[in-house]
Amino acid sequence: MESRPVHFIWILDVSFSMSGEKIGTLNYAIREAVPEMRAVAHDHPTAQLMVRVLTFSGLARWHVATPVPVEQFIWQDVGVDGGTNYGDAFKAVARELETPPMPRRALKPVLALVSDGQPMDEDWREGLKAIDATPWGRKAVRVAISVGGDTDTSVLQEFLANPELPVLHAKSPKQLATAIRWASTAAVKAASQPVVSGDSDGGKQLAPAYAPPQLDDDDDDDVW
């Protein structure tokens, strides 16, 4: 059978509040998750997993702008810079979810948002509306990971667009690594299922098999 692309977009907060151990753990966790993403892609031969990375601080920038097949994807560490502009990031993603540049015969994209902060831009909802206004934005499998205990999780919950989907709260390096691993694998498996005709919000529902992990407190782990 002909393979169809699954576009996986990391949307990463790289504001100054992510300095130190947070950004170090994020880089390590995604780098370590890449082989697991390749394994998932190998197990789903009808889906071609394509990866790219958007970072945002004061502005949004494509860290990896061109979709790269996961077999060729090599993680390049990100650094911190500036404030937290969600709206600019959401608008940048929305532009990529139009058709074109998204192909018509794609599977559901994955949007994986990781942040530890609060929006500094008052119009961030306009960016989120731009995502929701695209057909692929409405179909996307969305996951959101909160880093540390100071995140405005209401923003992440609105990004998920479904009150039944939980925000993953990673309050330690170990928990962040677990959350990244899940987002890199289970969400891709969910996205690799064919889009059902008339399914306008496929990404807002996850089958029980892809349920997010329980990030239990670990007394032996450093807590942010």
Side-chain angles (χ1 to χ4, degrees):
M1 296 179 62
E2 181 183 0
S3 63
R4 297 166 65 185
V6 172
H7 286 262
F8 188 109
I9 303 178
W10 286 111
I11 309 169
L12 305 178
D13 179 354
V14 295
S15 59
F16 281 131
S17 58
M18 284 287 292
S19 297
E21 191 173 26
K22 289 181 181 178
I23 200 69
T25 301
L26 177 65
N27 281 313
Y28 172 81
I30 296 181
R31 188 185 309 112
E32 292 298 301
V34 171
E36 297 186 40
M37 296 177 77
R38 291 176 182 149
V40 170
H42 182 269
D43 292 340
H44 293 77
T46 59
Q48 182 185 22
L49 182 56
M50 310 292 290
V51 185
R52 69 187 112 168
V53 183
L54 180 78
T55 62
F56 68 98
S57 51
L59 296 173
R61 299 181 179 88
W62 284 102
H63 185 63
V64 178
T66 303
V68 178
V70 70
E71 295 82 6
Q72 302 170 20
F73 182 77
I74 299 174
W75 178 252
Q76 299 293 330
D77 285 356
V78 297
V80 297
D81 168 31
T84 311
N85 188 331
Y86 281 90
D88 201 40
F90 292 156
K91 290 174 183 176
V93 171
R95 289 191 289 269
E96 297 302 309
L97 297 177
E98 299 284 355
T99 306
M102 279 284 287
R104 292 187 180 278
R105 284 187 51 77
L107 295 172
K108 291 174 287 191
V110 179
L111 307 180
L113 174 61
V114 183
S115 177
D116 79 329
Q118 302 183 14
M120 297 181 67
D121 51 324
E122 296 181 357
D123 62 345
W124 62 268
R125 284 189 176 88
E126 294 303 313
L128 193 52
K129 288 178 182 177
I131 291 178
D132 292 335
T134 67
W136 287 113
R138 292 192 295 272
K139 290 183 173 72
V141 174
R142 304 186 193 187
V143 294
I145 301 172
S146 163
V147 184
D150 298 326
T151 312
D152 185 347
T153 55
S154 64
V155 177
L156 304 188
Q157 196 66 61
E158 286 194 47
F159 168 80
L160 291 175
N162 183 344
E164 296 181 4
L165 287 180
V167 173
L168 294 179
H169 296 273
K171 297 181 180 180
S172 69
K174 180 178 179 180
Q175 291 180 359
L176 179 57
T178 298
I180 292 292
R181 188 180 309 113
W182 176 82
S184 302
T185 54
V188 171
K189 293 176 186 177
S192 299
Q193 306 306 311
V195 177
V196 178
S197 177
D199 176 16
S200 63
D201 64 349
K204 299 176 185 179
Q205 302 292 335
L206 289 178
Y210 310 129
Q214 294 294 324
L215 300 181
D216 297 326
D217 292 334
D218 187 344
D219 293 337
D220 295 330
D221 210 7
D222 295 331
V223 176
W224 290 316

